[in-house]
Amino acid sequence: MRWMWTKGLTLLLSTFLLLCSCALTPPSSVITVDPGATLHLFLQPMPQEAHRLSLTVASINARTVDGRDIPLLTGPWIFDPAERVGRQTKLLQQKLPPGEYTGLSLELSAAKLQTEADPINLLIESKIQLIPINFLITANQNQALFLSLSPERLITGGYKLTAKFSARKAQSPLPELKGVISHPQSGILTIFEKKTPTVIDVVAIGQGPAGMALDQRSRLIYLALTEENSIAVFDLIRNRIQRKVRLHAGARPTELALSTNGDTLVSLNSGTNSISIISTTSLSERQRILLSTTPASACISATNLAYIALPDINALALIDLQRDSVIATANLTDTAVQGVADRSGRQIYLLTENSPDLLVFDTTSMTVINRVSIGYDARCLTLNKNNGLIYVGMRSGNIVVIDPQIGLPIDSFKAEPDIIAIAADRKENSLFVVSRENNLLTKYDLVSQRKLATLELGAAGSAVAVMGEQ
């Protein structure tokens, strides 16, 4: 009896500490830079006529309104347009002095044409080109420009290169065609058109953008700005920050989750071991729940119950978003770090840090009812609401496909290695994969599992969201 009483007291104290303690954890070291006053220059997909060319760009300069040229390249850049046919390339991102600019100057130093025999050197008709385009660099904004090579009369006489470049500013498609990627180190948000896909704009969003939550109906993106202790509300229609919600000092938000009806945002704050429950109507903190350990991820079911992974103590905390309070906790035998609910909301699939299994957690009994073997190094997962299948991204580059109805993997296919984030687009039935290796975004068809396109990001990404995702 004494043993049972001691055990009960220990469990009671553990639960009390979980819900009421406000112990701090040391903030993680994240290197960030001021994202403003930066030019992002993209080379649009090369025309088919350039597929046998090799070009050497000696320099690219930004020309100020008073005629000064500011170098953008640190050295010559050699590229093979054959590799760029149908593919956008990020040439550079460079800090510039704030002010007005009248264009770019580009110098070609060499050009070669691959023939059936040997490559031949081409005569360059005009080595230095002035590309007129007025743009403004400001201290708190980014400027994206898009460089294009005209296919008309590209090579004349079989030996002369008459390359003509032009530039344009960002052009925004309909919000329904947009996707976004956060970049913590560079403090930017990349906006891309999801069909192609191609980058359409780069926005200075703030210090340390990390996790995000997408509101499809309101066409808003909520971004956790870890280094600013705030949440940015980004308008996908106007491509601009609508507002920033300031959290308490030292909060360091890392992950966000949005309720099914879109009226409640849950912020996981790694700096203060807390959860902020925010009303999206008033954009104010409705409640703050203090924990004894760092919350890692949040998963909100169709019934508006939030499940918070607490990996340091191998537990899940259940939050009722109507009462804004923790109503239960569940102990796990494994370290859960991320989860996603199935279409019914009755089961939560949990990635683990120390196990090759994906845990199947029953929300009624609050217990693990099954394990799905997928192997070690699972990084992320998402639900495709079209077919109810769950896709798991592995560090190796494999995408494992799981059918919740049978609780087993039913397929897998190879993507780019070092996957960090994935998002499913139910409208196109496609999957977007962000990988750290070469900083790429790749798009896959979920029926044929064929790679549809690759997009160069130019900076390490953290999270991805696309309209039509959920």
Side-chain angles (χ1 to χ4, degrees):
M1 288 292 293
R2 181 178 179 182
W3 176 83
M4 292 179 65
W5 181 86
T6 303
K7 183 179 179 183
L9 179 61
T10 301
L11 289 174
L12 179 62
L13 287 173
S14 175
T15 303
F16 176 80
L17 288 173
L18 170 66
L19 300 180
C20 301
S21 174
C22 57
L24 299 179
T25 56
S28 58
S29 177
V30 178
I31 300 174
T32 59
V33 297
D34 182 2
T38 302
L39 173 67
H40 298 260
L41 185 60
F42 294 86
L43 180 66
Q44 294 297 80
M46 289 285 97
Q48 187 65 38
E49 291 82 354
H51 75 282
R52 293 186 297 153
L53 277 177
S54 174
L55 302 177
T56 301
V57 179
S59 66
I60 301 178
N61 301 319
R63 180 159 294 183
T64 65
V65 72
D66 58 4
R68 292 181 297 115
D69 280 342
I70 300 177
L72 299 176
L73 288 181
T74 57
W77 184 63
I78 303 173
F79 73 101
D80 183 355
E83 300 175 356
R84 311 293 170 185
V85 172
R87 178 171 171 175
Q88 188 186 55
T89 304
K90 186 164 187 178
L91 292 178
L92 55 90
Q93 63 182 64
Q94 180 68 45
K95 287 275 189 180
L96 286 176
E100 295 182 18
Y101 292 78
T102 60
L104 305 170
S105 65
L106 182 147
E107 180 182 3
L108 293 175
S109 58
K112 292 183 179 181
L113 179 65
Q114 182 64 51
T115 65
E116 293 182 358
D118 296 322
I120 61 172
N121 293 319
L122 296 175
L123 176 65
I124 303 175
E125 182 180 60
S126 178
K127 290 191 174 184
I128 299 179
Q129 294 186 43
L130 178 61
I131 306 167
I133 182 169
N134 295 319
F135 62 95
L136 182 66
I137 296 293
T138 59
N140 60 351
Q141 291 296 328
N142 282 358
Q143 176 69 69
L145 296 180
F146 300 88
L147 202 62
S148 297
L149 176 62
S150 173
E152 296 181 7
R153 297 179 58 81
L154 188 56
I155 300 173
T156 57
Y159 68 92
K160 183 187 294 185
L161 179 73
T162 56
K164 289 182 174 60
F165 289 90
S166 61
R168 64 167 177 82
K169 297 178 184 178
Q171 297 176 347
S172 187
L174 294 172
E176 289 74 16
L177 300 178
K178 291 180 180 179
V180 294
I181 300 170
S182 61
H183 302 271
Q185 283 72 37
S186 52
I188 61 175
L189 188 67
T190 294
I191 305 172
F192 62 93
E193 188 274 317
K194 69 178 186 176
K195 284 188 173 294
T196 328
T198 53
V199 174
I200 56 173
D201 206 355
V202 178
V203 178
I205 199 71
Q207 295 288 332
M212 65 175 74
L214 170 64
D215 188 335
Q216 298 273 353
R217 287 167 293 191
S218 299
R219 296 174 173 84
L220 296 174
I221 290 278
Y222 300 93
L223 291 108
L225 301 179
T226 306
E227 305 300 317
E228 292 186 15
N229 299 319
S230 66
I231 296 170
V233 184
F234 187 80
D235 187 339
L236 279 173
I237 298 176
R238 298 172 180 83
N239 273 14
R240 67 186 184 192
I241 298 173
Q242 186 182 86
R243 185 175 166 184
K244 285 188 178 180
V245 181
R246 301 292 176 184
L247 300 180
H248 54 282
R252 295 183 61 81
T254 54
E255 298 295 333
L256 302 175
L258 189 67
S259 63
T260 306
N261 58 14
D263 66 358
T264 302
L265 184 69
V266 176
S267 171
L268 308 188
N269 309 319
S270 63
T272 54
N273 294 342
S274 66
I275 300 166
S276 293
I277 301 177
I278 298 165
S279 166
T280 58
T281 303
S282 63
L283 289 178
S284 60
E285 187 180 65
R286 205 167 65 205
Q287 182 65 273
R288 188 188 314 165
I289 299 173
L290 303 179
L291 306 170
S292 64
T293 185
T294 307
S297 68
C299 170
I300 300 180
S301 70
T303 54
N304 274 343
L305 294 173
Y307 297 82
I308 311 298
L310 306 170
D312 290 344
I313 58 173
N314 289 0
L316 279 183
L318 174 59
I319 298 178
D320 186 333
L321 295 181
Q322 291 184 335
R323 290 188 279 175
D324 292 344
S325 61
V326 178
I327 58 175
T329 58
N331 294 323
L332 305 172
T333 57
D334 301 283
T335 305
V337 293
Q338 194 180 66
V340 65
D342 66 3
R343 284 191 293 189
S344 67
R346 291 192 292 267
Q347 294 180 349
I348 307 292
Y349 284 73
L350 297 167
L351 291 185
T352 60
E353 192 175 75
N354 57 348
S355 167
D357 297 331
L358 190 67
L359 307 183
V360 184
F361 183 83
D362 181 73
T363 59
T364 302
S365 64
M366 292 288 286
T367 58
V368 174
I369 59 172
N370 192 18
R371 291 173 173 265
V372 181
S373 179
I374 56 174
Y376 288 98
D377 291 329
R379 285 280 188 82
C380 48
L381 75 171
T382 191
L383 170 72
N384 183 352
K385 290 193 175 181
N386 279 348
N387 51 26
L389 299 179
I390 293 171
Y391 296 83
V392 181
M394 312 293 289
R395 184 176 182 179
S396 63
N398 281 336
I399 302 292
V400 179
V401 186
I402 296 168
D403 187 344
Q405 291 189 339
I406 61 175
L408 291 171
I410 59 171
D411 205 353
S412 68
F413 60 94
K414 189 70 175 177
E416 299 293 333
D418 207 4
I419 295 173
I420 191 64
I422 58 177
D425 180 359
R426 62 178 177 81
K427 290 186 177 178
E428 290 192 1
N429 205 22
S430 58
L431 187 73
F432 291 87
V433 179
V434 177
S435 59
R436 281 183 178 158
E437 186 163 304
N438 299 322
N439 297 328
L440 297 176
L441 173 74
T442 46
K443 179 181 178 180
Y444 294 86
D445 179 82
L446 288 179
V447 177
S448 65
Q449 298 177 353
R450 182 173 60 90
K451 182 192 295 188
L452 300 176
T454 301
L455 179 61
E456 298 177 13
L457 300 174
S462 172
V464 60
V466 293
M467 290 294 290
E469 176 185 0
Q470 56 183 330

